[in-house]
Amino acid sequence: MKIRTCALFALSGFLHAQNVPPPANREAAVTPVPFDRILNASQKEPQNWLTYSGGFSSQRHSELTQITPENAKDLTLKWVFQARSLEKHEVTPLVVDGVMYTVQGINDVVALNAVTGKTIWTHAYKPSPDARNCCGQETRGLAILGDKLFLAALDTHMIALDAKTGKEIWNVQVADPKEKYSFTHAPLIIKDKVIEGTAGGEFGIRGFIVALDANTGKEAWRFYTVPGPGEPGHETWAGDSWMHGGASVWVTGSYDPATNLTFWGIGNPGPDWNGDARLGDNLYSCSVVALDADTGKLKWYYQFSPHNEFDWDSTQVPVLADMQWKGSPRKVMLWANRSGMFYVLDRTTGEFLLGKPFVKVNWNTGFDEKGRPIRAPGIVPSKEGTLVYPGNQGATNWYNPSYSPQTGLFYIPTWENSSSTYVKDQEPPEFHSGQTFSGAFPKGGSTGDDFYSSIRAIDPKTGEKKWDYKLSAPSTEAGILTTTSNVLFSGGRDGAFYALDARDGKLLWETNLGPSVSSGPMTFSVDGKQYVSVQAGPSLFTFSLR
């Protein structure tokens, strides 16, 4: 049965209430969140959502079971928070003991009552006018440790706030926004460190990941995603192209406490779409890197797209799982890449275990004995344009997948598309500080039956598709959430927000929120009642059962 709720009617009644400043002496009644709580949150306190991805494994899977395939049809809107900004909003909020923390564009941190949506406090932060991002002025979330909240602001300031009052504790600038370095993702907390990566590859930055002391803001370590002279991988950049090699970090990484490794997806090399001036594999662009969480030292890497000229950056969240692999238990990493290939890697060693298309792909003919992808003949940029599957936006992007240990399936927000594109009709661009640094933008795209989006469920042990739920909109920015009760939540660019049966993709419930659903749904519980929240445009919608 399809249920449609017009959430927009609720907006007018909430707008005024949500934006009335609270009394200055109000506090969020939150107990401290030591690292042990974050480490065990997904199992020991599923009522909370303590990290961007719900847990260090980034499975976006919740143990909450009150909402089921049988009663999902009874979901109803409870409250809406309307941001005071029309900037892009791609935020996944945190929930700690009944208090929700979110961001309204660009960098205002807001604490809300998670049951009513009522504002508790707001910390307003206006980033430097020099701050700029190629793809929207946004911050995708926050981190919490102890009694501090952490905001990675667009202008590369890391800011620690008092979680109870929103007052600033410390503020550290990590890079120069005049050079178009920026922060776009939620920080990752590991032990006593807060970790963040830089964006700005489209402006010729040299990307890096940085760890700061959570108590003081002092830098603990820095890992450059483009290796310099004397560093392993530097030889993969021709001449001095490494100096402006890009390799941004767009989304939050993952962490494996058993090996003390933290994993991060790395963006495209610069300049994009034209690699003539950066011959070589261009490490560690379009890769996943595994770093020692205490020192930032590289332990292993895998490059999904060597010398990429198709904008297939690895701007995905590494998903960690423990499963039986060919009859033996194995610690694996699951990765649906923008290039259209699904991968399984051993997350302890980086060993390549499986690579298989999850959409139509025409650029890959297989892998060599070390797991390096083999490009099909003729699939290279050309002045005439070369038809490539998938196209410029990729088969998936920054929006999160989900892995359900309950079903054993991996769920991917999928886009079947192509570009008769990647036209290389100009000389390699020259670098000018603060200006766009890229090749000719691709042109054209798919039409017809091979151009659509879906939620795709695959068996990660084989890469085989198990089911598809086709979306009305041709593309998506919504992530996926699964629960132990076998409910899957996601949305679409047409404003649809829905619940599916995670076992077979059957539609259980649907509503329309108006704007594009633009984040990964999350779930939490207060006083035994389960809620689901999702961002659509500038509004945060929260649902529960009647």
Side-chain angles (χ1 to χ4, degrees):
M1 181 178 181
K2 182 181 289 187
I3 306 295
R4 290 192 175 272
T5 306
C6 188
L8 294 181
F9 281 112
L11 272 176
S12 60
F14 281 93
L15 287 179
H16 179 72
Q18 299 310 307
N19 289 315
V20 174
N25 61 351
R26 290 201 57 180
E27 293 187 350
V30 179
T31 54
V33 183
F35 182 68
D36 284 348
R37 280 189 70 183
I38 305 173
L39 193 62
N40 301 300
S42 56
Q43 288 77 38
K44 292 188 176 181
E45 46 182 300
Q47 73 275 13
N48 290 322
W49 192 272
L50 300 184
T51 70
Y52 172 75
S53 294
F56 283 131
S57 63
S58 300
Q59 293 179 1
R60 289 280 179 147
H61 179 82
S62 172
E63 297 291 328
L64 295 180
T65 58
Q66 188 176 86
I67 301 170
T68 68
E70 291 70 34
N71 64 23
K73 65 183 184 296
D74 296 323
L75 283 164
T76 185
L77 181 68
K78 293 302 180 182
W79 56 263
V80 181
F81 172 75
Q82 173 70 31
R84 293 179 174 178
S85 170
L86 295 180
E87 293 285 355
K88 288 182 72 174
H89 287 75
E90 297 174 346
V91 183
T92 299
L94 304 179
V95 171
V96 187
D97 303 333
V99 177
M100 177 179 286
Y101 299 100
T102 190
V103 182
Q104 68 174 3
I106 301 174
N107 287 142
D108 292 348
V109 181
V110 185
L112 306 171
N113 183 309
V115 175
T116 67
K118 187 175 182 179
T119 301
I120 300 172
W121 56 253
T122 300
H123 177 90
Y125 179 78
K126 186 176 182 179
S128 164
D130 293 317
R132 182 182 170 195
N133 176 22
C134 73
C135 312
Q137 312 295 75
E138 79 267 313
T139 297
R140 294 191 170 110
L142 304 162
I144 191 167
L145 179 66
D147 57 2
K148 299 182 185 68
L149 275 175
F150 298 92
L151 167 70
L154 185 69
D155 59 2
T156 69
H157 282 249
M158 184 69 75
I159 303 167
L161 305 176
D162 187 306
K164 291 185 177 181
T165 66
K167 294 180 179 178
E168 184 177 297
I169 298 173
W170 55 256
N171 183 328
V172 174
Q173 184 174 344
V174 174
D176 188 351
K178 290 182 180 179
E179 297 179 1
K180 298 301 176 277
Y181 281 90
S182 61
F183 285 157
T184 65
H185 66 81
L188 181 67
I189 296 294
I190 301 180
K191 301 178 184 177
D192 61 350
K193 296 178 177 63
V194 53
I195 304 176
E196 184 76 13
T198 56
E202 286 69 22
F203 299 96
I205 67 159
R206 180 190 177 201
F208 63 87
I209 300 168
V210 64
L212 306 179
D213 185 288
N215 290 315
T216 66
K218 182 179 179 181
E219 185 171 320
W221 55 256
R222 180 177 296 210
F223 172 79
Y224 280 98
T225 55
V226 179
E231 297 176 339
H234 176 67
E235 70 283 357
T236 65
W237 294 85
D240 62 359
S241 60
W242 64 276
M243 296 176 65
H244 308 294
S248 300
V249 178
W250 291 105
V251 291
T252 309
S254 305
Y255 174 62
D256 180 8
T259 58
N260 197 40
L261 294 179
T262 181
F263 310 97
W264 295 79
I266 310 301
N268 55 270
D272 209 349
W273 305 303
N274 190 328
D276 287 353
R278 52 171 173 84
L279 299 180
D281 283 354
N282 307 139
L283 292 173
Y284 297 96
S285 70
C286 301
S287 301
V288 56
V289 295
L291 309 178
D292 184 291
D294 294 335
T295 65
K297 299 296 184 184
L298 180 69
K299 294 300 182 181
W300 61 260
Y301 73 91
Y302 177 81
Q303 190 171 38
F304 301 101
S305 301
H307 189 69
N308 185 262
E309 295 176 291
F310 302 142
D311 199 26
W312 293 332
D313 51 357
S314 298
T315 175
Q316 293 86 46
V317 179
V319 178
L320 314 183
D322 297 340
M323 61 175 60
Q324 290 292 119
W325 188 264
K326 296 183 178 180
S328 300
R330 196 136 195 185
K331 296 180 179 296
V332 301
M333 175 186 293
L334 310 178
W335 197 296
N337 195 262
R338 188 169 169 175
S339 67
M341 303 296 293
F342 168 71
Y343 293 87
V344 182
L345 305 176
D346 184 302
R347 71 172 184 265
T348 302
T349 65
E351 180 184 351
F352 172 85
L353 301 177
L354 175 70
K356 189 168 185 177
F358 67 93
V359 296
K360 183 176 180 179
V361 166
N362 72 345
W363 67 271
N364 178 282
T365 62
F367 298 86
D368 68 16
E369 66 280 1
K370 294 183 178 180
R372 180 186 176 91
I374 301 171
R375 188 182 294 187
I379 305 300
V380 295
S382 66
K383 291 183 179 180
E384 298 76 20
T386 303
L387 181 65
V388 182
Y389 288 84
N392 173 64
Q393 292 303 306
T396 191
N397 209 293
W398 65 268
Y399 20 88
N400 65 275
S402 177
Y403 170 72
S404 170
Q406 189 73 15
T407 64
L409 298 179
F410 189 64
Y411 304 93
I412 308 167
T414 302
W415 188 6
E416 294 274 6
N417 69 96
S418 66
S419 294
S420 47
T421 103
Y422 311 115
V423 179
K424 195 190 318 183
D425 57 2
Q426 63 182 37
E427 293 298 315
E430 294 183 359
F431 173 77
H432 298 281
S433 181
Q435 296 183 19
T436 301
F437 185 56
S438 64
F441 192 82
K443 304 172 184 176
S446 302
T447 59
D449 293 339
D450 65 347
F451 181 48
Y452 68 92
S453 285
S454 67
I455 300 301
R456 185 155 295 172
I458 67 172
D459 181 346
K461 295 180 181 179
T462 64
E464 296 293 332
K465 181 173 71 174
K466 291 301 182 182
W467 57 257
D468 234 10
Y469 180 78
K470 195 170 182 178
L471 307 182
S472 298
S475 63
T476 183
E477 284 188 335
I480 298 174
L481 167 72
T482 58
T483 71
T484 295
S485 55
N486 292 320
V487 180
L488 180 154
F489 292 95
S490 191
R493 281 188 184 266
D494 58 354
F497 182 52
Y498 45 83
L500 307 179
D501 190 314
R503 295 166 293 191
D504 57 16
K506 178 183 177 182
L507 180 67
L508 304 172
W509 168 86
E510 183 180 2
T511 187
N512 194 282
L513 306 180
S516 172
V517 176
S518 54
S519 72
M522 52 83 69
T523 188
F524 61 95
S525 179
V526 182
D527 296 329
K529 190 172 188 64
Q530 185 180 357
Y531 299 82
V532 177
S533 291
V534 70
Q535 188 83 36
S539 303
L540 179 65
F541 296 83
T542 296
F543 298 83
S544 69
L545 296 174
R546 291 191 180 95

